[in-house]
Amino acid sequence: MPISITRFSRNGVTLVEMLLAATIFSIIALCLYSVFAAGVSLNNKGNSAIKAQREAWWALDQMAYDLNHSISYDFNGSYPEQKSFFSTKESLGFIVSTGAGLKAVRYMIKPLEGGTLHKILVSKSTRMNVKVTTGEIQKTEVVALFREEQNFRNFLDSGFEGASQEILSRSVLPDGLKVTYGLIKHNHKVLWADAQPRINMPPAVRIELTMVRAGSGNRTIVRDVFNPAGEVKAD
């Protein structure tokens, strides 16, 4: 008597297959998320660096423009104590000739209302395609770079009190504005010094501006400006 064998077809999936599929999907999703997160972080860092660099170049361009239009004004008649070029450790000021007459312009760094703190990541590493931050997070105080402009007559009467103000950058280190002064010698070389020379207007000014960039440290940009109204200092 022949024996018939009945075959049973299996249309469903087992629990093991479901777990295996879920594991594979999780691994793929984790890899995609890691790549996406790294891309977003890199993009944010790049945008922050570009923004800080753009602010720095804009500020230095504005300073250079004003310096190129500065004048050497003779105050000996009524204001012997005053000079056409006046600066301190944290400021740079001079007299500018504009279409609306003479103006006193000053660049200075000072804290914003309430102060500002900027976080800098100390160290980073990558493990299994996942970015991991290690070490502590330091807080660095930042200040703003201001441009002040005052009518010449008001400047003689009350200095920069009530002057119009413009914020050029909000991401400058507290000692991030450094000005050095150049004297041109007979051999056309420039001798740079930290102290302001005893002349009414230096012929060259070097401006160093240090910006804070989120997650990528500080960036210093240097600009040398030669002033046509400056007094040439011989040997």
Side-chain angles (χ1 to χ4, degrees):
M1 182 178 180
I3 299 174
S4 62
I5 299 177
T6 304
R7 295 184 178 181
F8 297 93
S9 61
R10 182 169 59 84
N11 296 325
V13 293
T14 65
L15 179 60
V16 175
E17 291 174 331
M18 292 180 61
L19 292 176
L20 181 60
T23 302
I24 295 175
F25 176 79
S26 300
I27 294 175
I28 296 175
L30 180 60
C31 292
L32 292 176
Y33 173 78
S34 300
V35 173
F36 176 76
V40 171
S41 176
L42 184 62
N43 181 70
N44 291 338
K45 183 190 298 185
N47 289 339
S48 174
I50 292 173
K51 180 177 180 294
Q53 184 168 338
R54 185 185 299 118
E55 286 184 355
W57 280 115
W58 159 248
L60 291 176
D61 286 345
Q62 185 67 39
M63 290 183 185
Y65 178 84
D66 284 337
L67 279 169
N68 288 331
H69 290 81
S70 61
I71 64 169
S72 180
Y73 190 88
D74 186 7
F75 289 94
N76 291 330
S78 304
Y79 301 88
E81 299 284 330
Q82 189 59 266
K83 290 184 178 181
S84 299
F85 189 90
F86 42 92
S87 65
T88 65
K89 184 179 179 181
E90 298 178 344
S91 67
L92 172 65
F94 39 86
I95 306 301
V96 177
S97 176
T98 70
L102 297 182
K103 304 283 185 180
V105 173
R106 180 171 65 176
Y107 292 87
M108 62 185 304
I109 55 175
K110 59 182 180 180
L112 290 169
E113 190 72 23
T116 305
L117 292 178
H118 192 92
K119 295 182 179 180
I120 302 176
L121 299 179
V122 176
S123 60
K124 297 181 179 180
S125 62
T126 302
R127 300 174 185 171
M128 297 296 292
N129 204 31
V130 178
K131 185 174 292 186
V132 179
T133 301
T134 58
E136 63 183 32
I137 295 180
Q138 296 180 344
K139 291 185 177 180
T140 301
E141 182 183 1
V142 296
V143 296
L145 174 64
F146 287 82
R147 179 186 184 272
E148 297 182 320
E149 182 177 302
Q150 179 73 293
N151 180 275
F152 186 66
R153 173 53 61 184
N154 295 338
F155 169 73
L156 295 179
D157 293 338
S158 56
F160 283 94
E161 182 179 352
S164 61
Q165 290 187 344
E166 177 185 4
I167 298 178
L168 299 182
S169 175
R170 300 173 182 267
S171 304
V172 183
L173 287 179
D175 56 350
L177 178 62
K178 181 181 178 181
V179 180
T180 52
Y181 313 94
L183 297 178
I184 301 177
K185 299 298 184 177
H186 280 313
N187 56 6
H188 302 292
K189 290 185 178 181
V190 180
L191 177 63
W192 298 100
D194 293 332
Q196 182 176 340
R198 296 181 179 180
I199 55 179
N200 198 34
M201 179 74 69
V205 178
R206 172 173 291 172
I207 307 170
E208 299 181 38
L209 190 61
T210 302
M211 314 288 292
V212 177
R213 301 186 301 177
S216 54
N218 306 332
R219 174 71 182 275
T220 300
I221 299 180
V222 182
R223 181 77 174 267
D224 292 344
V225 182
F226 293 91
N227 186 5
E231 303 172 26
V232 177
K233 182 72 173 179
D235 287 319

